[in-house]
Amino acid sequence: MSRADHVAGYYRFHAPIYDLTRWTFLFHRRRAVEWTGLDGPPRRVLEVGCGTGINLVRLAHLWPHAEIVGVDLSGAMLARARARLAPFGDRVRLHEGAYGVDDTFTGWPDALLFSYSLTMMGEALPSVLDAARRDLAEGGRVIAVDFDDTPSRTFRHWMRANHVDVDGRVLRSLHDRFHTRRQETGQAFGGLWSTFLFAGSPRR
């Protein structure tokens, strides 16, 4: 079974409790949404790993004239997102599947948001980031917020058991493929792990 299959199965169980629990440790998501307007209001926003749609609602309110699409592997998570996004009609659309396996979004988004999804990509991380670099419209930007690293081997192993890689690899991979436009880092729970906010433009 692939990492994507494991993640989709994991969220079939976690979808009902996701919004009740994740706010306790998924920090800076609102700021990541705000950073999608780094160069002015975007016309088209793509969120990869949109989950239950919390960020999509924030994006729809923040950018009332933008087209917005959310992509996620989990049908259970998207079912919750669909109900939450009903008031926005077809201005916010959902796409179920793995991001980066085709050119569906090539040249489409002005802003591409990854909110705590890149650390769940596993071996697909390089291809996902290459797809993001390919898909961004001219002058577009990628925005990412996620776990960075941890000094605790126990915490790293526990997170990996929950399909999250907290090993510093994501931020390094972003730097390899994107010019840094803005970046912030921080510590959580007394240094148990570090976090990052990143905004960048593609290295062509």
Side-chain angles (χ1 to χ4, degrees):
M1 185 180 290
S2 70
R3 175 74 170 260
D5 292 330
H6 280 293
V7 169
Y10 176 85
Y11 280 114
R12 276 196 295 273
F13 172 75
H14 282 265
I17 62 172
Y18 186 89
D19 294 330
L20 297 174
T21 58
R22 280 0 187 231
W23 65 270
T24 60
F25 58 91
L26 300 186
F27 304 127
H28 312 304
R29 290 182 292 175
R30 288 183 183 273
R31 283 181 56 72
V33 167
E34 292 168 0
W35 280 23
T36 60
L38 186 62
D39 297 315
R43 296 169 299 164
R44 298 178 296 272
V45 183
L46 175 65
E47 183 183 11
V48 176
C50 64
T52 62
I54 286 179
N55 286 336
L56 297 177
V57 170
R58 292 170 179 162
L59 287 163
H61 283 300
L62 186 62
W63 311 123
H65 302 295
E67 295 179 70
I68 299 166
V69 174
V71 178
D72 205 280
L73 283 171
S74 170
M77 297 286 270
L78 289 178
R80 292 183 170 266
R82 195 168 289 110
R84 173 173 274 144
L85 294 163
F88 300 100
D90 61 4
R91 187 165 70 85
V92 183
R93 295 179 284 117
L94 298 173
H95 180 87
E96 183 176 347
Y99 171 72
V101 298
D102 56 37
D103 59 358
T104 300
F105 300 106
T106 298
W108 190 82
D110 302 307
L112 202 163
L113 174 63
F114 293 100
S115 177
Y116 288 93
S117 56
L118 288 173
T119 48
M120 302 192 77
M121 297 297 179
E123 293 181 358
L125 177 65
S127 62
V128 166
L129 290 179
D130 287 341
R133 184 169 54 180
R134 172 200 72 200
D135 286 350
L136 279 168
E138 189 69 28
R141 57 273 188 191
V142 65
I143 310 297
V145 59
D146 219 315
F147 303 101
D148 184 23
D149 209 343
T150 177
S152 169
R153 182 178 299 178
T154 300
F155 181 73
R156 182 178 292 117
H157 288 170
W158 182 80
M159 292 295 281
R160 187 164 295 155
N162 287 276
H163 313 294
V164 180
D165 295 320
V166 185
D167 55 12
R169 184 166 59 106
V170 169
L171 190 54
R172 292 194 300 269
S173 298
L174 284 164
H175 287 157
D176 287 343
R177 291 166 174 81
F178 298 90
H179 297 286
T180 303
R181 299 286 308 283
R182 186 178 295 177
Q183 181 174 308
E184 294 178 4
T185 58
Q187 300 291 318
F189 288 95
L192 180 58
W193 72 83
S194 56
T195 62
F196 71 83
L197 262 168
F198 175 88
S201 55
R203 297 183 185 273
R204 303 296 190 185

